[in-house]
Amino acid sequence: MSKVLVIGCGGVASVAIHKCCQVSEVFTELCIASRTKSKCDELAAKLAPVTATKITTAQVDADDVQQVIDLINAYKPDLVMNIALPYQDLTIMDACLACGVNYMDTANYEPEDTDDPAWRAVYEKRCKEAGFSAYFDYSWQWAYRKKFEEAGLTALLGCGFDPGVTQAYCAYAKKHEFDSIDTIDILDCNGGDHGYAFATNFNPEVNLREVSAPGSYWEDGHWVEVAPMSIKREYDFDQVGHKDMYLLHHEEIESLALNIPEVRRIRFFMTFGQSYLNHMRCLENVGMLSTSPVDFEGQQIVPIKFLKALLPDPASLGSRTRGKTNIGCIFTGKKSGRDKTYYIYNVSDHQECYREVGSQAISYTTGVPAMCGALMLLTGKWNKAGVYTVEEFDPDPFLAALDQYGLPRSESRMPALVD
């Protein structure tokens, strides 16, 4: 039925590819492309005996628009799934426009080089006008709206769990549970233990940038920015227990504030253990989170890239991670003139995920929604030209697919609220 090009072969991409191969009647042909073709070949060989999907592989440098164009033209896919790094979102979008093919990704654009003068000028203007200073935001990809509309193509942004599923949860709450939503709290809890003193559950560069950035939330029509990790709460998560969580800036707040304009406040919290925070603060204090090159014995080295080389590969954590994740959204608002609260969330078990696809639950909870989002596009359930985030589409078929393919929802209509 469909030919799909997947760019990326890391932990999340591996999960998405596994899940695509479970739906061979839709994903009839799959090309896995990465800078390191041997990784693609290894995964293809592993999956070939257990799927009817025809799998091929290719080498591509996704930083090079022409290489991506050449690959798309050679393979002629119906959809490009960008599950590489967010640094490469724009080059892959450019290639999709040039070739006339639909696009999707799991995280919004941010630059690899935050010292680039051209990017810096735009960034500093945005900080002043918008009121938040995180390096990642939707503006760069939203600038492609007219181009994709005029080309009759769809670009689906941020179709992982958060962003992604959390936005579908919001659209579902708006459609079925509320007449108007007053507050949204997005809670991301990882109760897993991998046994290392310090490791990140996804790409260390992206993870550590996100966590060390100032926190921010949306309230009464504007951004409120606070010092990193300065707002802490404790929450009792279903099947995980009591965990400390900290307010972060997160990209879905930006789109939700635009697409559900009556919402008075939107916050995002993520759980962290004290050991993780202590290590991160120490590394930040000595400059190891910097993206600016330093001279070391005559060579230019980017500190955070060197740190990434020292840390455990997130894709290697699956076999040793025990525990569960719990990610979801708590809402307050009104239904039929009455005050109402509602909580929708998913609980995933790290070892169950590993037994199924060989990855821990962080990769699983991002890779499954990527496949389900692709499924929506390929089957025509989500079909409109332009650049969109998940909450701008009908949430019902997407959540039904998540229920079916590994991320079933749970609900509470009397949740404890976050103060």
Side-chain angles (χ1 to χ4, degrees), residues 73-360:
N73 283 335
Y75 187 64
K76 297 186 176 4
D78 301 297
L79 172 69
V80 173
M81 297 176 68
N82 169 16
I83 319 183
L85 293 173
Y87 312 146
Q88 296 155 340
D89 287 359
L90 303 187
T91 57
I92 299 174
M93 290 180 80
D94 284 334
C96 286
L97 280 169
C99 299
V101 63
N102 292 329
Y103 166 91
M104 67 169 292
D105 62 37
T106 59
N108 68 2
Y109 172 72
E110 62 180 283
E112 184 170 14
D113 179 9
T114 57
D115 292 324
D116 175 68
W119 175 85
R120 197 86 200 175
V122 177
Y123 164 75
E124 290 173 358
K125 183 173 182 287
R126 188 266 288 164
C127 289
K128 188 177 297 184
E129 292 176 353
F132 66 93
S133 58
Y135 288 147
F136 49 93
D137 74 294
Y138 280 118
S139 65
W140 295 89
Q141 291 177 277
W142 281 344
Y144 283 71
R145 282 170 169 161
K146 188 175 180 181
K147 293 178 181 178
F148 271 81
E149 285 175 6
E150 291 176 346
L153 300 172
T154 302
L156 173 62
L157 308 184
C159 195
F161 205 109
D162 47 345
V165 178
T166 50
Q167 289 149 296
Y169 285 166
C170 293
Y172 181 86
K174 177 68 175 172
K175 181 177 179 180
H176 296 287
E177 299 289 337
F178 292 90
D179 296 324
S180 62
I181 297 173
D182 186 39
T183 68
I184 303 171
D185 280 332
I186 303 166
L187 311 186
D188 183 327
C189 169
N190 177 17
D193 182 5
H194 46 57
Y196 287 114
F198 183 74
T200 62
N201 289 296
F202 57 94
N203 183 280
E205 291 180 63
V206 178
N207 178 254
L208 291 168
R209 278 193 194 188
E210 176 184 303
V211 173
S212 61
S216 56
Y217 59 96
W218 184 259
E219 187 168 52
D220 296 329
H222 66 276
W223 288 97
V224 179
E225 188 163 87
V226 298
M229 300 294 180
S230 61
I231 295 180
K232 173 186 172 183
R233 298 290 187 268
E234 183 183 284
Y235 199 80
D236 186 5
F237 290 91
D238 180 28
Q239 300 184 52
V240 177
H242 289 272
K243 291 289 182 180
D244 291 338
M245 61 183 189
Y246 297 81
L247 185 142
L248 302 181
H249 176 86
H250 227 245
E251 57 253 58
E252 63 261 52
I253 299 175
E254 186 180 8
S255 68
L256 291 170
L258 182 70
N259 292 314
I260 310 179
E262 80 268 18
V263 175
R264 182 179 62 81
R265 188 190 69 206
I266 311 172
R267 301 182 297 185
F268 180 96
F269 291 91
M270 184 176 284
T271 62
F272 295 98
Q274 200 56 52
S275 175
Y276 179 97
L277 294 178
N278 289 341
H279 278 82
M280 186 194 74
R281 286 167 180 149
C282 179
L283 291 166
E284 185 175 27
N285 288 341
V286 299
M288 286 301 296
L289 305 190
S290 172
T291 61
S292 300
V294 296
D295 185 80
F296 177 73
E297 296 184 350
Q299 293 186 340
Q300 290 287 300
I301 294 176
V302 177
I304 198 167
K305 288 185 176 294
F306 180 69
L307 176 62
K308 177 183 176 181
L310 296 175
L311 292 175
D313 181 353
S316 72
L317 299 178
S319 63
R320 56 186 295 146
T321 304
R322 304 289 188 275
K324 297 181 179 182
T325 63
N326 180 320
I327 314 173
C329 303
I330 299 175
F331 304 89
T332 67
K334 292 190 181 297
K335 181 70 173 179
S336 301
R338 296 187 175 185
D339 291 337
K340 179 177 181 176
T341 60
Y342 175 67
Y343 185 17
I344 181 170
Y345 60 96
N346 165 264
V347 176
S348 291
D349 184 280
H350 283 285
Q351 281 300 293
E352 288 180 7
C353 296
Y354 182 73
R355 281 191 289 272
E356 182 190 349
V357 298
S359 296
Q360 35 83 359

Side-chain angles (χ1 to χ4, degrees), residues 29-96:
E29 296 185 42
L30 207 63
C31 178
I32 311 169
S34 174
R35 183 177 278 112
T36 308
K37 187 174 180 293
S38 58
K39 291 173 62 177
C40 306
D41 294 337
E42 183 180 349
L43 181 58
K46 178 181 177 182
L47 288 170
V50 296
T51 183
T53 300
K54 180 183 176 182
I55 307 173
T56 56
T57 64
Q59 192 279 333
V60 69
D61 179 355
D63 291 320
D64 187 323
V65 176
Q66 190 59 51
Q67 282 195 37
V68 181
I69 288 173
D70 291 344
L71 176 59
I72 293 173
N73 283 335
Y75 187 64
K76 297 186 176 4
D78 301 297
L79 172 69
V80 173
M81 297 176 68
N82 169 16
I83 319 183
L85 293 173
Y87 312 146
Q88 296 155 340
D89 287 359
L90 303 187
T91 57
I92 299 174
M93 290 180 80
D94 284 334
C96 286

Side-chain angles (χ1 to χ4, degrees), residues 393-408:
F393 291 99
D394 182 4
D396 294 354
F398 181 62
L399 294 187
L402 293 172
D403 289 342
Q404 180 179 356
Y405 293 111
L407 295 178

